Amino acid sequence: MASLLYTYRSCVKALPQLPDSMKHSQADLYLETYQVLDLEMSRLREIQRWQASAASKLAADMQRFSRPERLVNGPTVTHFWSMLKLLDVLLQLDHLKNAKASIPNDFSWYKRTFTQVSTQWQDTDTMREELDDLQIFLSTRWAILLNLHAEMFRTNTVEDILQVLIVFCVESLELDFALLFPERHTLLRVLPVLVVLATSSEKESESLYKRVKINRLLNIFKNDPVIPAFPDLHLSPAAMLKELSSYFQNFSSQIRLLTLPAPHEIPPRELQDYQRHYLILNHMGTIRAEHDDFSIRFASAMNQMITLKSSDGADNDWSRDIKGNMYDTVVEGFQLLSRWTGRIWEQCAWKFSRPCKEPPISDSQQDSATFFDYEKV
């Protein structure tokens, strides 16, 4: 579904326009256009139905643990991750839908052609209701998150489990404990949404900030002002908090969170620090050293394994130590690969969030122009 939204292109622009000499075939063209657009809209309807079902299940899952006494027997860490990953999928679908200006344009043509071709059909009331629901879904920014919020608070409040999830996210990010880059990015993407959902009233805000000091949240959002999304899109926690505050009125009083700078608002002094952090060029020496050191230790561990296989009646403790060392080395290798891959994703997100608008001042005019052309692309 994410791929479908990401690759969506305007159908209307590809459809032929009738010349004046063929105006008598207008009805046929409307029917053909409707059939083409109906196929695309049926896929968007499927996304609408799926997100409604997923939001309902996620809300029901959270309501099972919506009181402190129910947290005694769960949820487990695996359960935490299942809830966070489902929330992340809903968030990314919403973000992709928001990014596609061609979808509402195609829908307006679809509705217009439906009006023309349905005049001869029987009982179109149900179809019109579905069309109206789909129009609201496609034209409303963050419609999926708003629907999730409505599902969550339909029967009873879920602030307790939301706060538990926020604490889990914050502690995982601060400790950076065995997080691969997709998991780290998942936590960074969902944390702003969880904070907005959990501050549904002033009382709940106070309760949240007793468990998680606001400075801890601010530090996380400042350390990662841009987060990779699907696949070359990016999310900014500061921009998300500001935009969602207009839909969640109780959150609009959270001044310290709402005054965080978006990527294009970062002051020049801080900008240099972020450039040093995000651009891989500044970390190549460290990465090469890590790679060379790991390669030597990995080759040594492999040699020990070969020696172990060739020796008969090896001591059990010695054998266990060699195999344990091999296991730890392989795990470390995957963690290094994950860290380096994450750096590539994060540099891309940073560059997409701050494209070069003017050629930098340079001694060489040619180098300057080349750099500017590259950034424009």
Side-chain angles (χ1 to χ4, degrees):
M1 290 179 181
S3 298
L4 189 150
L5 283 173
Y6 177 73
T7 56
Y8 191 94
R9 296 295 179 268
S10 175
C11 296
V12 170
K13 289 183 180 177
L15 293 172
Q17 301 298 313
L18 283 182
D20 293 338
S21 59
M22 295 181 66
K23 288 298 180 186
H24 60 279
S25 304
Q26 192 77 32
D28 294 336
L29 180 66
Y30 273 127
L31 182 58
E32 295 286 344
T33 302
Y34 173 78
Q35 289 171 345
V36 169
L37 291 174
D38 188 51
L39 180 62
E40 296 301 322
M41 293 303 138
S42 67
R43 292 170 179 153
L44 296 176
R45 270 197 210 95
E46 186 182 339
I47 293 173
Q48 182 193 16
R49 292 189 190 107
W50 183 85
Q51 63 83 26
S53 171
S56 176
K57 285 185 170 66
L58 180 57
D61 203 20
M62 287 185 172
Q63 283 164 0
R64 285 170 53 203
F65 304 105
S66 60
R67 288 290 175 267
E69 62 270 16
R70 298 184 190 176
L71 293 170
V72 174
N73 297 318
T76 62
V77 171
T78 305
H79 203 148
F80 280 147
W81 276 110
S82 70
M83 286 192 271
L84 293 170
K85 286 180 177 177
L86 182 51
L87 176 58
D88 186 43
V89 170
L90 293 171
L91 167 63
Q92 292 205 59
L93 286 176
D94 227 356
H95 184 46
L96 285 161
K97 181 180 71 67
N98 292 344
K100 292 291 174 180
S102 56
I103 290 178
N105 186 41
D106 278 5
F107 179 83
S108 65
W109 270 83
Y110 176 65
K111 195 169 185 181
R112 197 180 311 163
T113 55
F114 171 80
T115 305
Q116 295 291 331
V117 301
S118 64
T119 51
Q120 298 144 17
W121 297 352
Q122 300 291 324
D123 191 23
T124 58
D125 291 346
T126 305
M127 293 178 72
R128 288 182 192 281
E129 284 179 19
E130 283 187 4
L131 269 182
D132 290 341
D133 288 344
L134 185 60
Q135 183 172 19
I136 292 169
F137 173 69
L138 295 177
S139 60
T140 305
R141 287 183 69 79
W142 304 112
I144 296 176
L145 292 183
L146 292 171
N147 177 48
L148 175 62
H149 177 262
E151 289 286 346
M152 281 181 178
F153 293 88
R154 179 164 291 174
T155 52
N156 56 355
T157 59
V158 292
E159 279 91 349
D160 289 320
I161 184 62
L162 288 173
Q163 289 179 16
V164 170
L165 287 170
I166 289 169
V167 171
F168 176 76
C169 289
V170 169
E171 290 181 348
S172 299
L173 289 166
E174 287 177 342
L175 296 170
D176 201 19
F177 177 68
L179 284 181
L180 299 179
F181 79 91
E183 296 165 342
R184 184 172 178 276
H185 292 165
T186 294
L187 296 179
L188 288 169
R189 281 191 296 263
V190 299
L191 185 56
V193 177
L194 289 170
V195 171
V196 172
L197 293 173
T199 51
S200 58
S201 68
E202 194 172 325
K203 179 185 172 186
E204 297 301 339
S205 301
E206 290 176 6
S207 172
L208 170 63
Y209 297 139
K210 282 178 184 175
R211 300 183 72 168
V212 182
K213 297 297 182 196
I214 193 168
N215 284 340
R216 293 172 73 187
L217 294 171
L218 289 169
N219 286 335
I220 288 172
F221 295 147
K222 283 179 183 175
N223 288 339
D224 287 271
V226 181
I227 308 154
F230 183 96
D232 62 351
L233 298 177
H234 61 273
L235 284 165
S236 160
M240 280 182 65
L241 293 170
K242 286 171 187 169
E243 190 170 350
L244 289 172
S245 67
S246 61
Y247 297 94
F248 297 88
Q249 293 302 318
N250 290 311
F251 187 72
S252 58
S253 62
Q254 306 299 316
I255 304 300
R256 292 185 69 188
L257 289 169
L258 293 174
T259 50
L260 284 166
H264 63 280
E265 299 168 339
I266 295 171
R269 190 179 70 256
E270 294 178 22
L271 190 60
Q272 291 181 347
D273 294 334
Y274 284 121
Q275 294 277 33
R276 278 194 290 271
H277 169 71
Y278 278 114
L279 299 186
I280 295 172
L281 190 68
N282 301 317
H283 303 277
M284 285 307 296
T286 306
I287 291 172
R288 283 197 182 102
E290 287 174 341
H291 171 266
D292 293 346
D293 175 64
F294 174 78
S295 298
I296 292 166
R297 288 187 292 108
F298 181 69
S300 173
M302 286 292 293
N303 288 336
Q304 286 183 320
M305 288 292 291
I306 293 166
T307 305
L308 177 65
K309 283 183 180 179
S310 62
S311 60
D312 295 328
D315 180 66
N316 279 340
D317 289 341
W318 181 58
S319 172
R320 195 179 301 113
D321 287 345
I322 288 175
K323 289 176 181 176
N325 180 50
M326 185 79 242
Y327 178 88
D328 292 342
T329 306
V330 170
V331 169
E332 184 190 347
F334 280 124
Q335 288 173 332
L336 283 171
L337 281 172
S338 172
R339 195 188 314 155
W340 298 335
T341 309
R343 279 206 175 279
I344 295 170
W345 279 99
E346 287 162 11
Q347 174 180 275
C348 290
W350 173 254
K351 280 188 164 290
F352 279 124
S353 72
R354 290 189 57 85
C356 180
K357 299 223 171 16
E358 293 178 8
I361 299 167
S362 171
D363 295 336
S364 168
Q365 194 61 40
Q366 184 178 359
D367 290 348
S368 177
T370 304
F371 183 76
F372 180 50
D373 289 342
Y374 166 75
E375 289 287 335
K376 279 199 300 185
V377 170

